[in-house]
Amino acid sequence: MSTHTIVLGVIGADCHAVGNKILEAFFTRAGYRVVNLGVMVSQDEFIDAAIETGAAAILVSSLYGHGEIDCAGLRDRCLERGLDRILLYVGGNLVVGKADLAATREKFLAMGYDRVFPPSVELDEVAVLLRQDLAAKDEGR
Amino acid sequence: MSTHTIVLGVIGADCHAVGNKILEAFFTRAGYRVVNLGVMVSQDEFIDAAIETGAAAILVSSLYGHGEIDCAGLRDRCLERGLDRILLYVGGNLVVGKADLAATREKFLAMGYDRVFPPSVELDEVAVLLRQDLAAKDEGR
Amino acid sequence: MDFENKRIPDERFDALRPEVLGAWPTGREVDFDEGVAFHHALPEDKRFPVALDRADAERRVLLQPRAGVALLEEHIALLQLLAQEADVLPTTIDAYTRQNRYEEAQKGIDKSRQAGHSLLNGFPAVNHGLGACREIIERVPKPVQVRHGTPDARLLAELTLAAGFTSYEGGGISYNIPYTKKVPLQKSIEDWQYVDRLVGRYEAAGVRINREPFGPLSGTLVPPFMSHAIAIIEGLLALEQGVRSLTLGYGQAGNLMQDVAAIHSLRQLARQWFEAEGYGDYQLSTVFHQWMGGFPENESKAFAVITWGGAVAALAGATKVIVKTPHEASGIPTGEANLQGVMATSQITSMLVDQQASLVALVQPEIERIKREVNTVLRAVKTAGEGDWAKGAVRAFAAGILDVPFAPSVHNKGKLLPVRDNEGAIRLFDFGAVPLDMDTRAFHAAKVKERAIAEGREPCFQMVIDDIYSISKGRLVGRPR
Amino acid sequence: MDFENKRIPDERFDALRPEVLGAWPTGREVDFDEGVAFHHALPEDKRFPVALDRADAERRVLLQPRAGVALLEEHIALLQLLAQEADVLPTTIDAYTRQNRYEEAQKGIDKSRQAGHSLLNGFPAVNHGLGACREIIERVPKPVQVRHGTPDARLLAELTLAAGFTSYEGGGISYNIPYTKKVPLQKSIEDWQYVDRLVGRYEAAGVRINREPFGPLSGTLVPPFMSHAIAIIEGLLALEQGVRSLTLGYGQAGNLMQDVAAIHSLRQLARQWFEAEGYGDYQLSTVFHQWMGGFPENESKAFAVITWGGAVAALAGATKVIVKTPHEASGIPTGEANLQGVMATSQITSMLVDQQASLVALVQPEIERIKREVNTVLRAVKTAGEGDWAKGAVRAFAAGILDVPFAPSVHNKGKLLPVRDNEGAIRLFDFGAVPLDMDTRAFHAAKVKERAIAEGREPCFQMVIDDIYSISKGRLVGRPR
Ligand code: B12
Ligand code: B12
């Protein structure tokens, strides 16, 4: 079984560090090679790191409410820069305000993210999905 | 200035005594002759007391939620028994549940009560209204 | 037979029974042996005494809401909803049934059917009968208690216990003085001796049923020593009839130290007095009632009052907490509002349950004060009864030795006047005829004086009125504005 | 000029100013003298320092929410709504402005106009400019503070203070370490010396502006001694620049005793250290932040967390409490949700404010512990700085003497690992390079051990993770399930 590399980070001007540290600990323990960019990561920094490390997925966090602005265009930028098969996950308090989950999910799926998670998500469930999605990707290869 | 007599009591099988004691203290201090029947007062007990004491008003309390059942028909019963000019006030948690105030008021006005009060009413305001209503009644005499 | 605190002989009980069961047609449905068999088959997690024991062992606070509506299906649905977060459940009985006015309860049921929503303030269990009550037990996944306020609760007990309820609230004093106007105390105590004897018979048949005297009484500025004294007397009366699972109750006063001390002293005093009177081998737990007086109308503010009640229950180490709802000031809560109260309480009790030990040392002086007051009063009650607690209770109320503030009963003197001190603890403004010792009186007077000075007014009845309104107006101490 | 804790000379300040004001076009609108004149004309009840003084004198806890939206009218309407129940108001700044990313803030404003609702997490005061800020002060009836998280907050300060804001949150450490990734500490401290000097100049012109270092830092399991040490250093830096009204802050930990002890020790330590360092004649107050870590999603449960925070603020006697909302776990609150948090807090603080005295004796040992820890750390900082607090702060972070758990800054060692003890107090699992004495270490280790035994597991990082989630999952101590 190949060890996948995944890139983690908190996008934009967002400084929320706690969830990010937990994601790092969790996915490391789950057997991934984790490249954690920490907080305040720009779209290009995510892409640079993914290219450099041959990552299979980027897990974007946005907690502070500007996700709608910061996350837009990441998929296009990936394609532009030749990352045409990368998984994009996004999670956190993605928009400003207590929003309808389904509407937020639609919004971010439309932006090109493969999966969209609320802050209350159980990480074990994410791990299952990530395993499945990566396997499907590997098969499709 | 004539001292009016008013009859107080908590109707039906209702045992809530605290508000009733406060109403007694308040209206006594406000200068009325107060006949307080306490809790668990039947319609006929109210009417008996009003007739006996020549009361100008009956202030009915209902806190426990059965007000809708217990208070119905008091006006008719007053008329039957010859009390054709008595003021009827009612106040408290008049129906079961957190209800719309306006709807409750309509319901009890339709039952023949002259004024309907929520538990949060300021007693000073009640005193003003009672004074006005009694004055109007005295003039009408 | 004499009125006294003696176990009702079997012949007498059996002789009384037909009359009790004959008071309303559904009484015929009761079959004690069938009831016992049903109880024996009940799974552990539907048994109230088991839940109480486990909670004390695990140092958890059980959460219990109040809930009852007119119709069976709605009532079961309500309890099933609440079972999501609550540990133990109630069936709160409507106020007509509490007065044995079954015809009026029937009218309430009929009108509720017509209206499509409950017009009653509780579940009329007697009218619905045994089958309906049994369905509650069968379809609700947790222990269920009957909660009411019934001076003559014999038929209700026969029906609901045979149906499988495993806990029964009330007592001959606590369901008389705050709940009625004219019922003689001797009558209600006798009727509750019957209820306790019935529970004792279940116990003898191997079925443990929990009994809970109603602690908060009028819910309004009741000093802890008075409710403790009454709770202990009701405990003694129940033990004598064979009850073996007792939960003594207390209604939150609002001052942290006094409330924590109250729960500690209640446990200690009960153990002492029960032992002194020769009772052993019983299961004791406590219940803390979130603030029982007037609530703020605003729901956010109500949440604050609810949470503070939960916090103190946890810090005091009560076995169970009775939960209020954000609708409290307005009316019987919807299921959702009720659940909200339980959830807020769940959060705070589980956050604080590990901090119980921290306050014990601090509250010691207040514990001692409460104990001294209770002991004085109980000794006086016993003397009044010439050694008999049943007679003593009746005579003590007549003499004003026992006196519940703001109670509606004509058999209650109503001379004792409580008022908050400068920290919000409930103290005495007028001692009435309660025989407290001089040092205790001086202490209360000094505390009241301290507040009066802080407020620049003499201790007065307006202070008491201000205290009655204070929590609903967002304060604890009713300061002048 | 050297980097040191010395009042910025006027020439240097005046030399820096054009660059600061030139960073964004609205900077040109600033006129210091006009600002001073506006402040002099401000009514008393719009002045933050006055409100703080009065609250302490009257032993009341001031209530302050957080609030900020993208557009001016909506922002003013929001504050007017909150003014119904809050005592002092905020203007919370958006996260782009905090990073001086004014172009992005502008995009946020424009998109918010299009969307018809705020897409920014705060009010972009710099982009809106002086006139808009002035309108806030004019149209909101209570004192307003700038609340943000800006490492270089010089332009924001120039604009908002000239506009009439009377309090300004932040500091060179507390708005760097938890809020940024790469900004060097020396840079942020220098920039905050500028802000403090600006406040000092207002002070010299007869205008008192309150300054509030940000107490809670990362908001997540920060041990009181660490946030106290940093608050006191920021206080010293501010006093040196001429600030005369200081509010030191602390974020609720969750354990009653520790939290009450934290507020008491904070006041005492600040007084001691300020005096020892030669500062007198200042106004000191405290602010208690309701739980700053992850909240439960359920709103009823959030109300419980909010209320408990308010309760402890009142019992601890904090001057001010920062209020959370039932939407906390989900997103920026609506005005209504925000008001709900304030109302719940209002109820509980006014219910408990008279009970402050009760816990003082009990928390004495914890007060002494915190003092000892803070004193040890502050002495080490001073030594590291060879007597200079600015240098000391930078070197102490580099050495791990100061270390904030879970902070994002690369200039923070991140070796200090906190964990809750068996009663939920925050203790240390790994001391990192923080130079605590051996007795203190033994105490922490014993407390952690005690919990580990209770849970039947070794002290481990999973325990820390469990503690991070615990309150959001309805507990305080993150016990294994
Ligand atoms: C204390 C209390 C009790 C105590 C009463 C002790 C006693 N004997 O007095 C106890 C614990 C015994 C009790 C029992 C019950 N209670 Co109760 N009780 C309360 C509580 C918490 C406070 C009442 C109080 O004393 N308030 C303080 C006084 C000063 O205010 P007040 O009573 O509202 O009176 C003022 C005003 O209403 C107004 N007013 C009243 N009448 C009138 C009349 C006029 C003309 C005017 C102008 C003004 C006016 O002026 C008064 C003085 O300011 C209220 C909820 C609340 N308000 O927070 C529930 C409440 C009244 N109880 C309620 C119920 C249902 C019951 C029970 C049936 C049990 C149950 N199912 O939960 C039993 C009643 C049994 C019976 N036979 O009556 C419900 C009523 C629900 C509804 N209407 O939908 C309430 C609202 C709680 C709730 N939300 O469920 N209760
Ligand atoms: C602690 C905290 C802070 C601390 C952060 C300290 C630090 N450097 O880490 C401080 C006080 C500094 C802070 C500042 C601010 N905060 Co803040 N903060 C919080 C708070 C209370 C807890 C966050 C936290 O640590 N949670 C615990 C961790 C474990 O959970 P988490 O962060 O949610 O991460 C988990 C999940 O989200 C998920 N997840 C996250 N990303 C991803 C990605 C993928 C792919 C997957 C699968 C899962 C996943 O897994 C993580 C682990 O379980 C939250 C509210 C809350 N949640 O209760 C607000 C909150 C996130 N903050 C908020 C805001 C707005 C701010 C500020 C802008 C100030 C303001 N206006 O109020 C500034 C931000 C400035 C900036 N530049 O970023 C808002 C965001 C609002 C929105 N989205 O509508 C929140 C929701 C509070 C609120 N309701 O207003 N904050």
Side-chain angles (χ1 to χ4, degrees), chain A residues 13-19 22-23 40 59-65 89-97 117-119 121 123 126, chain D residues 66 92-93 95 98-99 121 178-179 214 217-220 292-295 324 327-333 406-408 468-469:
Chain A
D14 192 336
C15 73
H16 289 90
V18 183
I22 287 187
L23 291 175
M40 298 189 162
L59 276 61
V60 177
S61 294
S62 178
L63 283 311
Y64 72 158
Y89 278 21
V90 67
N93 301 85
L94 293 173
V95 299
V96 163
F117 300 95
V121 65
L123 297 185
V126 180
Chain D
R66 293 187 178 80
T92 301
I93 305 299
R98 294 170 183 217
Q99 303 296 324
N121 53 22
Y179 280 100
F214 177 63
L217 303 169
S218 63
T220 307
M292 286 293 288
F295 251 64
K324 290 262 172 164
H327 285 184
E328 177 63 14
S330 308
I332 302 268
F406 311 108
I468 288 174
Y469 284 121

Side-chain angles (χ1 to χ4, degrees), chain C residues 445-461:
Chain C
K447 287 306 246 180
V448 175
K449 183 89 195 166
E450 188 182 47
R451 168 176 171 189
I453 289 168
E455 293 181 1
R457 58 173 171 175
E458 286 300 305
C460 56
F461 187 63

Side-chain angles (χ1 to χ4, degrees), chain C residues 59 85 252 254-257 296 298-305 307-308 311 315 339-341 343-348 350-355 357-359 361-362 422-424 470-477 479, chain D residues 59 85 252 254-257 296 298-305 307-308 311 315 339-341 343-348 350-355 357-359 361-362 422-424 470-477 479:
Chain C
R59 258 188 17 174
E85 275 294 310
Q252 178 177 28
N255 173 283
L256 174 60
M257 301 233 291
N298 177 281
E299 295 193 21
S300 304
K301 297 187 176 195
F303 268 117
V305 178
T307 302
W308 179 238
L315 291 172
L339 188 59
Q340 288 176 348
M343 288 189 298
T345 307
S346 159
Q347 176 76 28
I348 194 66
S350 56
M351 272 177 66
L352 297 192
V353 81
D354 299 314
Q355 297 179 46
S358 58
L359 295 168
L362 191 70
N422 210 34
E423 285 89 44
S470 62
I471 287 186
S472 67
K473 297 203 170 161
R475 306 286 316 228
L476 181 60
V477 184
R479 309 275 188 208
Chain D
R59 258 187 18 174
E85 197 80 22
Q252 178 177 28
N255 172 284
L256 174 61
M257 301 234 290
N298 176 281
E299 295 192 19
S300 304
K301 296 186 176 197
F303 268 117
V305 179
T307 301
W308 180 237
L315 291 172
L339 188 59
Q340 287 175 349
M343 288 190 297
T345 308
S346 159
Q347 175 77 25
I348 195 67
S350 57
M351 271 177 66
L352 297 192
V353 81
D354 299 314
Q355 298 178 46
S358 58
L359 294 168
L362 191 69
N422 209 35
E423 285 89 45
S470 62
I471 287 185
S472 67
K473 298 203 169 163
R475 305 287 314 229
L476 179 61
V477 184
R479 309 275 186 207

Side-chain angles (χ1 to χ4, degrees), chain D residues 158-230:
Chain D
E158 288 277 11
L159 262 163
T160 53
L161 299 187
F165 282 77
T166 49
S167 178
Y168 201 74
E169 198 197 24
I173 303 168
S174 62
Y175 269 9
N176 177 337
I177 301 297
Y179 280 100
T180 72
K181 186 173 175 177
K182 293 176 183 162
V183 178
L185 205 49
Q186 174 168 340
K187 167 82 169 76
S188 61
I189 290 179
E190 278 174 343
D191 291 343
W192 275 90
Q193 286 178 319
Y194 180 99
V195 171
D196 284 331
R197 186 70 207 103
L198 178 63
V199 171
R201 287 195 161 201
Y202 275 100
E203 184 76 39
V207 174
R208 174 147 295 187
I209 284 164
N210 172 254
R211 283 273 298 109
E212 179 185 332
F214 177 63
L217 303 169
S218 63
T220 307
L221 302 178
V222 180
F225 80 86
M226 186 53 71
S227 52
H228 282 17
I230 292 169

